[in-house]
């Protein structure tokens, strides 16, 4: 029986990945910062990359569904044997590298540093590493974009956007990301490569938000505002603590296309993401 080690197993990508590994007959050791409960074929360890519990000395594959740089740094100094390593990064490595926001530039830099560190550590060990870069993630009620929009809209009973928020997006469902990681596992063409894993539909930021609002119960109306009025509303929301993380750079990106080519992932491991068809359940915060 093959054995996988999964970091971030209780997270939004990790949970569906555990299901796929289990259904394929893998034995899994998963790491979580919070106490979890074992089931047949799945053993949980409590800890994180800074305080690692005792791990098995050898596994067939390692999956990282959490912070890439911290994982790469741990992996580089670990003595664990694993011939296959798959880690999630983010397309923010590219979209935020030229941001006007210093914190966003830092995040982009850490993502690229994490990718480089992972490949550098894997090469002398003859481990086959693959990095997957998702676009805008949704589907488990844990993302920081669409779920935040949905929850704020339900409180306000409407959702404001600046006019011209027509930058293109490719939201990707967590189940499609789990499928991608599992498919890449046994695809030799993916060894040593980085892939964008966008969603299966390209639509404007405005249409993405409007489709999200329409699926809520009850549906919420989208209100488009002239930029000066939107900026005033944003300042008021930030002062009330309802728009944290939404700064000038984020608003500017609403008008900027952020699309990525799925063809390499489709060619090398059959990546086939779904179109964007949200439901209200996808934006409900899961109960622990």
């Amino acid at each position: 029986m093959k054995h996988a080690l999964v970091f971030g197993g209780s997270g939004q990508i990790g949970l569906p990945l555990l299901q796929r590994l289990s259904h394929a007959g893998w034995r899994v050791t998963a790491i979580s910062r919070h106490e979890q409960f074992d089931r047949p074929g799945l053993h949980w360890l409590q800890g994180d990359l800074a305080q690692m519990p005792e791990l098995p000395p050898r596994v067939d594959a390692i999956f990282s569904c959490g912070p890439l740089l911290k994982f790469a740094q741990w992996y580089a100094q670990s003595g664990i044997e694993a011939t296959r390593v798959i880690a999630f990064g983010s397309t923010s490595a590219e979209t935020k590298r030229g941001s006007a926001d210093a914190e966003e530039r830092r995040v982009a830099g850490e993502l690229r540093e994490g990718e480089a560190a992972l490949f550098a550590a894997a090469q002398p060990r003859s481990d086959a590493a693959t990095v997957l870069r998702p676009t805008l993630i949704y589907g488990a009620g844990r993302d920081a974009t669409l779920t935040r929009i949905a929850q704020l809209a339900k409180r306000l009973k409407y959702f404001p956007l600046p006019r011209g928020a027509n930058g293109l997006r490719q939201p990707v469902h967590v189940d499609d990301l789990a499928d991608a990681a599992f498919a890449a596992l046994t695809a030799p063409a993916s060894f040593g490569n980085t892939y964008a894993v966008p969603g299966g539909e390209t639509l404007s930021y405005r249409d993405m938000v409007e489709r999200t609002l329409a699926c809520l119960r009850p549906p919420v109306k989208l209100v488009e505002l002239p930029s000066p009025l939107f900026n005033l509303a944003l300042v008021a929301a930030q002062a009330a603590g309802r728009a944290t993380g939404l700064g000038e750079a984020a608003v500017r990106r609403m008008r900027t296309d952020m699309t990525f080519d799925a063809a390499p992932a489709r060619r090398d491991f059959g990546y086939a993401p779904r179109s964007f068809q949200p439901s209200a359940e996808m934006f409900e915060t899961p109960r622990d």
Side-chain angles (χ1 to χ4, degrees):
M1 179 182 292
K2 291 185 176 181
H3 187 185
L5 177 64
V6 180
F7 291 88
S10 59
Q12 60 179 342
I13 302 173
L15 285 173
L17 176 59
L18 294 182
Q19 294 174 352
R20 282 147 183 79
L21 290 166
S22 176
H23 291 163
W26 282 65
R27 180 165 62 97
V28 178
T29 299
I31 314 294
S32 175
R33 289 173 297 174
H34 306 290
E35 184 180 10
Q36 307 289 335
F37 298 98
D38 291 355
R39 64 174 187 260
L42 172 61
H43 175 56
W44 285 97
L45 296 174
Q46 189 171 355
D48 57 31
L49 291 164
Q51 294 183 322
M52 191 61 60
E54 184 176 355
L55 299 176
R58 184 190 182 283
V59 294
D60 296 285
I62 302 175
F63 295 88
S64 171
C65 305
L68 178 57
L69 179 57
K70 290 182 179 180
F71 169 74
Q73 292 170 337
W74 168 84
Y75 169 71
Q77 57 79 41
S78 74
I80 191 169
E81 295 181 27
T83 57
R84 191 74 177 99
V85 181
I86 297 179
F88 282 93
S90 172
T91 52
S92 292
E94 296 301 327
T95 61
K96 294 183 179 180
R97 69 185 302 169
S99 172
D101 186 293
E103 175 62 17
E104 291 184 350
R105 293 196 304 273
R106 184 195 65 78
V107 169
E110 284 194 354
L111 286 165
R112 296 192 303 276
E113 183 183 352
E115 291 179 5
L118 176 61
F119 288 122
Q123 194 276 332
R125 296 158 70 154
S126 298
D127 291 349
T130 300
V131 172
L132 303 177
R133 289 178 167 183
T135 50
L136 195 153
I137 301 174
Y138 74 100
R142 297 186 179 189
D143 62 277
T145 302
L146 289 178
T147 294
R148 181 180 294 178
I149 287 172
Q151 293 177 347
L152 179 58
K154 287 191 288 187
R155 291 198 300 270
L156 295 176
K157 310 303 181 186
Y158 70 95
F159 192 81
L161 272 186
R163 287 178 184 164
N166 292 319
L168 297 179
R169 296 293 186 273
Q170 298 164 307
V172 60
H173 195 281
V174 291
D175 285 349
D176 293 329
L177 296 176
D179 286 340
F182 189 73
L185 179 65
T186 54
S190 71
F191 296 178
N193 290 320
T194 297
Y195 295 90
V197 279
E201 182 178 0
T202 301
L203 69 168
S204 71
Y205 192 96
R206 180 200 181 281
D207 290 346
M208 178 183 71
V209 171
E210 186 172 46
R211 203 177 294 181
T212 299
L213 301 181
C215 80
L216 302 178
R217 303 192 192 103
V220 176
K221 183 179 180 181
L222 174 66
V223 177
E224 291 185 278
L225 301 174
S227 291
L229 187 56
F230 177 83
N231 291 337
L232 287 174
L234 179 59
V235 169
Q238 289 171 335
R242 295 185 303 207
T244 55
L246 185 60
E248 179 182 348
V251 174
R252 186 180 300 121
R253 281 198 300 275
M254 295 178 187
R255 299 187 173 98
T256 304
D257 292 347
M258 294 186 180
T259 59
F260 295 84
D261 186 7
R266 185 165 54 247
R267 176 196 66 218
D268 289 352
F269 50 89
Y271 183 56
R274 71 198 67 189
S275 61
F276 183 56
Q277 300 296 331
S279 65
E281 291 77 15
M282 294 178 183
F283 306 114
E284 294 177 357
T285 303
R287 297 176 180 175
D288 294 330

